[in-house]
Amino acid sequence: MTEITLYNTAIRAKEVLKPLDATNVRMYVCGPTVYDRAHIGNARPVIIFDVLFRLLRHVYGENAVTYVRNFTDVDDKINARAAESGRSIGDITAETTQWFLDDMGAVGALEPTQMPRATAYIPQMVAMIETLVADGFAYEKEGHVLFRVRKYEDYGKLSGRSVDDMIAGARVEVAPYKEDPMDFVMWKPSDAATPGWDSPWGRGRPGWHIECSAMAEDLLGSEFDIHGGGNDLTFPHHENEIAQSKCAGHGFANIWMHNEMLQVEGKKMSKSLGNFFTVR
């Protein structure tokens, strides 16, 4: 069989892909937050991991690859868009999700095997958070549940940073409910105008990082082959995913792959900088 060699961010080197199960090669790629049109920088990981998906299907068989790419449909950017437009959150996410699918179809990408929406996996997120609280890796304060970063010894290994260095030069949110500035939010309270779900810590909504840990575990199992995304996600998103999942007792991903950013005049293309061109 053809041997596939991939660059693994986690070890800073190329390694031969050795699937856990050659009849079901499993890959998770972080998908979009759906609140606006996708720009061509958003299309870059779609196209890159589509090429890998096709290669895996070619080598292992069309029905031997499970590719999961999520939609983040609960997020403060979506809430803000709803507030400013007067439209419901559900309407906005339904419309922008379809825009994304249409645009990625237009550039020729195959649809992944599974495309879970974060809001459909709230119970799985709550269950994972409960496990982490019970085992002392997370704590509740003022309706927030936070992960204790210093409890996970390998934190920073993926991105090649030490916790103290991260604090010194960091953009970390200092908040009165944090035991440590580096601790990150897994659950936060919701007010009447914000989407929320019942939980052991009150009505609230998940933080960004927990959703991918919960969905990957539910759809691909405790351990899987490849986790992908843009290199802007290496820290903090993927670093936090690893910490949560490992501390919840999961092996998680074996190979971590990251694509570079699309540049516009030397700067990353992003909605916040306004230097983007939509796929459409």
Side-chain angles (χ1 to χ4, degrees), residues 213-236:
S213 285
M215 287 188 283
E217 193 276 330
D218 190 79
L219 293 168
L220 296 177
S222 178
E223 189 174 0
F224 54 95
D225 301 298
I226 301 165
H227 195 313
N231 68 357
D232 57 334
L233 301 180
T234 310
F235 179 83

Side-chain angles (χ1 to χ4, degrees), residues 198-252:
D198 291 333
S199 81
W201 319 285
R203 183 178 177 274
R205 61 197 190 281
W208 177 31
H209 314 297
I210 192 68
E211 67 178 66
C212 289
S213 285
M215 287 188 283
E217 193 276 330
D218 190 79
L219 293 168
L220 296 177
S222 178
E223 189 174 0
F224 54 95
D225 301 298
I226 301 165
H227 195 313
N231 68 357
D232 57 334
L233 301 180
T234 310
F235 179 83
H237 187 51
H238 290 164
E239 200 75 72
N240 292 352
E241 278 187 63
I242 291 170
Q244 294 164 162
S245 294
K246 293 275 191 181
C247 292
H250 304 302
F252 214 45

Side-chain angles (χ1 to χ4, degrees), residues 26-267:
R26 287 162 285 166
M27 175 169 72
Y28 186 97
V29 176
C30 290
T33 299
V34 282
Y35 68 98
D36 205 347
R37 287 271 178 199
H39 60 63
I40 57 175
N42 300 140
R44 185 169 195 166
V46 173
I47 293 168
I48 284 172
F49 288 102
D50 179 65
V51 172
L52 179 56
F53 181 38
R54 289 168 186 268
L55 175 63
L56 294 170
R57 282 159 52 100
H58 177 71
V59 171
Y60 294 97
E62 287 193 3
N63 298 316
V65 184
T66 302
Y67 171 22
V68 178
R69 186 185 68 219
N70 71 296
F71 284 107
T72 296
D73 60 347
V74 52
D75 183 86
D76 289 343
K77 291 175 184 170
I78 301 170
N79 301 340
R81 182 59 54 92
E84 71 188 31
S85 68
R87 299 178 64 200
S88 75
I89 285 165
D91 281 351
I92 290 170
T93 58
E95 179 180 61
T96 51
T97 296
Q98 193 58 51
W99 285 350
F100 183 87
L101 292 172
D102 291 345
D103 288 346
M104 297 312 130
V107 301
L110 298 174
E111 288 198 348
T113 320
Q114 302 261 12
M115 294 185 286
R117 293 175 297 107
T119 52
Y121 287 80
I122 302 294
Q124 290 88 336
M125 297 180 212
V126 169
M128 185 174 278
I129 296 169
E130 284 184 300
T131 296
L132 292 165
V133 170
D135 292 341
F137 291 107
Y139 59 96
E140 187 271 336
K141 189 80 178 289
E142 297 178 19
H144 296 76
V145 182
L146 298 106
F147 184 89
R148 288 187 171 101
V149 163
R150 292 182 192 271
K151 284 274 285 184
Y152 178 58
E153 290 183 359
D154 285 338
Y155 193 85
K157 194 172 178 181
L158 179 73
S159 54
R161 312 172 185 215
S162 77
V163 174
D164 291 326
D165 287 346
M166 284 188 258
I167 290 176
R171 296 183 303 171
V172 291
E173 182 192 2
V174 178
Y177 47 79
K178 286 188 174 186
E179 292 179 355
D180 187 292
M182 283 303 297
D183 294 349
F184 61 86
V185 173
M186 293 190 292
W187 189 263
K188 52 191 172 183
S190 294
D191 59 25
T194 311
W197 291 263
D198 291 333
S199 81
W201 319 285
R203 183 178 177 274
R205 61 197 190 281
W208 177 31
H209 314 297
I210 192 68
E211 67 178 66
C212 289
S213 285
M215 287 188 283
E217 193 276 330
D218 190 79
L219 293 168
L220 296 177
S222 178
E223 189 174 0
F224 54 95
D225 301 298
I226 301 165
H227 195 313
N231 68 357
D232 57 334
L233 301 180
T234 310
F235 179 83
H237 187 51
H238 290 164
E239 200 75 72
N240 292 352
E241 278 187 63
I242 291 170
Q244 294 164 162
S245 294
K246 293 275 191 181
C247 292
H250 304 302
F252 214 45
N254 288 335
I255 293 178
W256 286 83
M257 296 182 66
H258 294 92
N259 63 272
E260 256 295 354
M261 296 293 97
L262 202 60
Q263 302 284 310
V264 182
E265 296 176 347
K267 293 181 181 177

